[in-house]
Amino acid sequence: EDQVTQSPEALRLQEGESSSLNCSYTVSGLRGLFWYRQDPGKGPEFLFTLYSAGEEKEKERLKATLTKKESFLHITAPKPEDSATYLCAVQAGDMRFGAGTRLTVKP
Amino acid sequence: ETGVTQTPRHLVMGMTNKKSLKCEQHLGHNAMYWYKQSAKKPLELMFVYNFKEQTENNSVPSRFSPECPNSSHLFLHLHTLQPEDSALYLCASSQDTGGYGSPLHFGNGTRLTVT
């Protein structure tokens, strides 16, 4: 059965303190791995799609990487506005989501 | 309007009421989805429609009834709900369901409280 596990469940950082979020997955026939950002009271917002091991994508302070078993979302020098819940999802047939990592960046 | 719009944003209903959630997408997509989001749990897929045809019902209780009259509109009809059905209900769309790695575009959800 397809599984997606995100860690840590919650992460508190000081502004400027770089870190990484992890998404481990087991799936047969990966079509894509997705990262979303969700702010309180809003729906998830699409960030990245990664298709194959070794692929990397960047957007501002965020960089997503992919291996055959996991993906990392690296946050470089985060700002308070980066505070949100970050969701990882894998698509083989349907899109299966992890439970998310709640990131808080303190000024 | 652009993107995916959901109404109402908040809904409080009794266990014997009947209500409907509405979703409209302005992205020209062909697939639409209903997801349930509960605190600290992964998003749960409920229903999938592709080109107006229901392609998946993820063992959802019959008190939830979807309707997709066209590729732009999706409804979720609710009746005799239980308190454990209280959650954020998210609508999403994508180009289609067969595409290789098509991302989902979400609305901002309806926060449902069943009393």
Side-chain angles (χ1 to χ4, degrees), chain B residues 32-108:
Chain B
M32 297 188 78
Y33 310 75
W34 281 116
Y35 279 87
K36 176 183 179 181
Q37 187 174 36
S38 304
K40 297 191 176 182
K41 293 176 67 176
L43 271 70
E44 298 174 50
L45 178 63
M46 300 175 71
F47 301 104
V48 182
Y49 280 82
N50 198 32
F51 293 93
K52 301 188 301 178
E53 298 297 321
Q54 186 178 130
T55 59
E56 184 149 350
N57 175 337
N58 209 22
S59 301
V60 180
S62 60
R63 57 186 183 269
F64 296 91
S65 175
E67 178 189 0
C68 187
N70 55 61
S71 292
S72 298
H73 294 86
L74 185 64
F75 297 88
L76 188 62
H77 303 299
L78 315 171
H79 64 97
T80 58
L81 295 190
Q82 304 297 311
E84 60 264 29
D85 297 323
S86 298
L88 181 67
Y89 289 84
L90 290 163
C91 173
S93 69
S94 68
Q95 189 59 47
D96 55 54
T97 59
Y100 205 88
S102 297
L104 299 178
H105 296 260
F106 287 88
N108 284 328

Side-chain angles (χ1 to χ4, degrees), chain A:
Chain A
E1 183 181 317
D2 300 346
Q3 287 195 342
V4 183
T5 304
Q6 290 189 247
S7 61
E9 183 176 320
L11 181 62
R12 297 171 67 91
L13 300 174
Q14 287 296 128
E15 184 172 2
E17 179 187 2
S18 301
S19 188
S20 298
L21 283 55
N22 178 263
C23 172
S24 298
Y25 65 91
T26 54
V27 64
S28 299
L30 181 71
R31 289 188 177 182
L33 184 140
F34 303 82
W35 284 98
Y36 295 85
R37 169 189 170 130
Q38 186 173 21
D39 292 298
K42 294 193 173 183
E45 176 188 353
F46 170 66
L47 293 173
F48 304 109
T49 308
L50 301 167
Y51 295 102
S52 57
E55 189 175 359
E56 300 182 352
K57 288 196 176 171
E58 290 188 62
K59 180 180 180 180
E60 296 180 356
R61 296 175 292 282
L62 301 177
K63 179 180 176 180
T65 62
L66 181 65
T67 72
K68 288 186 177 179
K69 294 183 178 180
E70 57 191 350
S71 176
F72 291 94
L73 185 65
H74 306 277
I75 304 176
T76 302
K79 298 182 178 182
E81 53 261 42
D82 295 321
S83 297
T85 296
Y86 290 85
L87 303 175
C88 168
V90 296
Q91 184 183 38
D94 296 325
M95 193 169 296
R96 185 174 293 270
F97 284 81
T101 293
R102 188 173 66 255
L103 175 66
T104 305
V105 182
K106 293 291 190 181

